[in-house]
Amino acid sequence: MRSTIITPNTWAADVYRFQNAKVGRIGCHVVAIEHAVARLAGGFKQPINRTEALDAVREVLETGCPPHFESARNFPGLVRAVTATLMKVWAADLDLEKCGAGSPQIEALCVIEQAVLTKFPPSMQRHGTLKAAALARLEHAQKVLGDVIIVGRTEMSPVWRDFIDALSSVVAVTWDAGPRSVPQWLKIPVVKSAATAAPRRYVSCADAAHEVLEALRWARGLIAGGKVKPEEIAICAAAPQAYDGAMSALSADSVLPVHFIHGRRAAETWDGQEVAALADVFLNGLSLQAFRRLASLAQGEAFKALPEGWKAVLPREASLTSPERWKSYLDQVKEWPGGISFAEKLMTIVAALAGEPETAAGVGRAMLGRRALAIWERALLEGPAEALITSIQNLATPDGTEGLTSIAWGSAAAIASVPRHYVWMLGLNAGSWPRGISEDPLLPAHLIDQVLLDPLPVVDADRRDFDTLLKTVAKEIVISRSRRDIEGRELGISPLWPLDEKVEELVKSAAPGCPISEAERLAGRIFEFKETPQGAAAGRTWRSWHQPEITAHDGMVRPGHPLVKAALGRPMSASTIKLILTDPIGWMFQEVLGLEEPEIEGEPFTLSALDFGKLVHAIIEFAMIDFATQGRKPGLAGATEPEIRTVIERSATVVSQDFEIEVPVPPRRLWAATVSRAMEMAALALLPGLLKTLEGQQSWAEIPFGKVGLPAVEGMPWDTSKPVTIAGVPVSGKVDRLDLAKDGKRARVVDWKTGRIPGDAEAWVIKGGEEVQRAIYASAAFQLLGVPEVEAGLAYLKGGAAGFVPLRDAAAALTLIETRLTAMRAAAEAGFLLPGPAAGSEYNPTAFALPGDAKERYLNEKALVTRAALGEAAAVWEDA
């Protein structure tokens, strides 16, 4: 016999269909009220759904927006707001034309409503129209619907109330309320049952995430007891979306089967990540990192058209933040995967990604796979392209977990419609449960009575759902609230929270009785964690960091370690000599273990000090090369100031273009100012005045030395392939600038500095190992030129404080470096690679490998034993 069950939501419909299948019931339809009405109305009619309404409203606002809303037409939330208002109007069965006399806003909404209704297919009708068609076919109700049972409800929208009354005159209509409250307007037969008396617990938690954690611990405890199945457990909140992030992360850690009734956030799925990656590049601008992420996820035809292995053409590091920079980079590529250039295809993708927001729909079709494209198009329905990232964050997709055999997580309304035996209710805080009443943004109270527009306000619904759960849960109810919000502010208590009940105050740091994951279990059982390999290693490390002696965790390795010996056997540069002298453990991290600091991606607001120095060096070097290519002899003595500035400007143009590709640079205006500063410093370096001109001076910049095994570079003052040694150690690098007198008896080597002259700079010799470049450059000049006199100095280029600080005695400084380097290398071979003074620097790239309190405690406490262990090698830290 045909019958119909009317449910309040799709979750309840799924449960009742499952129950029908279990008992083999045939001919029973389980539908929502609007679909039952549409079924009776016939002609394949269907109610208006939100997705179709969003699409229609968006089209109307784009093509025929009323003047009253023209100023807000491009606001991100207008499409959603208009759609929500119209859905309320239709659910309340209101006639806007009758309500809107004299109100420009309501009249404008009437215009939008009429235009929107024309966008739907003839079979899709608003609630009132559907109801009228169904009432005209009541005589067919017995055959179409049969006897009707309305379940899981405490209320119903006004538009359907007279339909229910009329339907009850031709078929048996029953309101199965159970212990729920019954609306006063109801005239049909009601089936009531006694309320349950499940035991209740009231719990106070630290914050919202702690509530979710405790709820999952409770659920695991029930399941682990062996008497409760996941499908008997539910966790709910008045508005579950606020808890979704914590629930998603913690349920994944717990490996418990948790079904999100309202769906998971689309951005948490693989397809959602593909969409988010495209939105990031499309709206936030091109960057290599963002492009790589998109390329690793995108399934669209544009990426499928690229050859296999195409990603090999992407650079490891580069600042590719505009189509122009991408084109400059691709023009330089010589070897293409597969041997055939696909630069044109790549540039087509890049150009599309750099397009205007109005091209978003086409970009999505080209870049995304089928499922990701559906999410992209839904996000474009929710709001304009400019708000894509926000829209994507608010979208939900089915979670793929079988809800009927899992723990149910969802809204209180959904759980109250089909209660389970064990329920945990989250968020009994003021303003959260029940939620507050808010006016409609487009039809506020001064325009229309909110009781007419929203006769079932959310505050009343939340109260009814709370009451329903208390009366219908059979075995156990746990009710929780948060003491503070995520920012630490104290939260009020919900008016539904009883003041005379005993409350358990739970603490986050307490050992859990039933942990949800292995990590939590070990955290709550320290004695057990200590027995694990990770725990034992952590304990040893912590104790070693606090002992007043040198241990393996302070950088002590076995003597003659092969990796250390291999690193010591490689040629050293000025920077590696500085590193091993000032921070031996840092040298081990970088030169022995190969640890590197990750490069910044995107567009920083300022260029780092290191990169700015490289920019200045590169402009000076290119300028010197430019002078040489003009047919000049290497030297600046005869160049005029206008000539030097012209060459510097030309050099800066070329260098900055290359820099934009290789290094993350600031936005265009800031970058132009940065290049301008670098040009001024380069001019200071090359113009007469900063450095006294030697007789018949010739000059070179960025001169390689010690490049053994490589072809000699032409045009240099020495053979760049010849070895240079210090204390028997091969040394290589580049001298920033070399000036050579005409008679070949005097030379000057310069190390550029882009800062101000420190007050004590003239007293420096090697400054505790920090300033070794001058002496090393002087050593290269002594060995490769054979000049008897070499002046070595630091040239500071900061405007207004520029100056040259020469080393008083380059030969003596070199002798000191040889002594200290020999001692430190011997300590390294002996296994003492310990923290030096530079380990406490805020610029230390390997500080993450040291204790968190290294600068405040660790380095100070270990200083004496470190110096004692290093012996003579530590004396470098006291050198001027």
Side-chain angles (χ1 to χ4, degrees), residues 240-252:
Q241 291 79 6
Y243 298 85
D244 275 349
M247 183 63 74
S248 180
L250 292 172
S251 62

Side-chain angles (χ1 to χ4, degrees), residues 550-561 563-565 567-568 572 579-593 823-836 839 850 858 866 869-870 873 877:
I550 297 301
T551 70
H553 300 288
D554 302 310
M556 187 171 69
V557 301
R558 74 172 188 262
H561 195 290
L563 290 180
V564 175
K565 292 184 72 172
L568 290 172
M572 303 185 82
L579 184 59
I580 196 172
L581 290 178
T582 58
D583 186 22
I585 195 171
W587 176 84
M588 178 181 69
F589 289 147
Q590 296 184 47
E591 298 298 319
V592 179
L593 299 179
M824 193 62 79
R825 286 172 60 90
E829 280 206 59
F832 294 103
L833 291 161
L834 311 179
L850 298 173
Y858 171 75
T866 296
L870 289 175
W877 301 335

Side-chain angles (χ1 to χ4, degrees), residues 273-293:
Q273 283 295 299
E274 183 181 348
V275 171
L278 177 57
D280 182 27
V281 179
F282 188 64
L283 295 181
N284 294 335
L286 289 163
S287 75
L288 180 59
Q289 183 182 24
F291 187 86
R292 279 185 182 279
R293 180 167 175 262

Side-chain angles (χ1 to χ4, degrees), residues 664-693:
V665 300
R668 190 161 298 280
R669 287 191 178 182
L670 295 176
W671 174 232
T674 302
V675 174
S676 179
R677 275 198 305 128
M679 289 169 59
E680 285 303 314
M681 289 191 177
L684 277 174
L686 299 183
L687 287 171
L690 180 64
L691 300 174
K692 184 179 179 181
T693 304

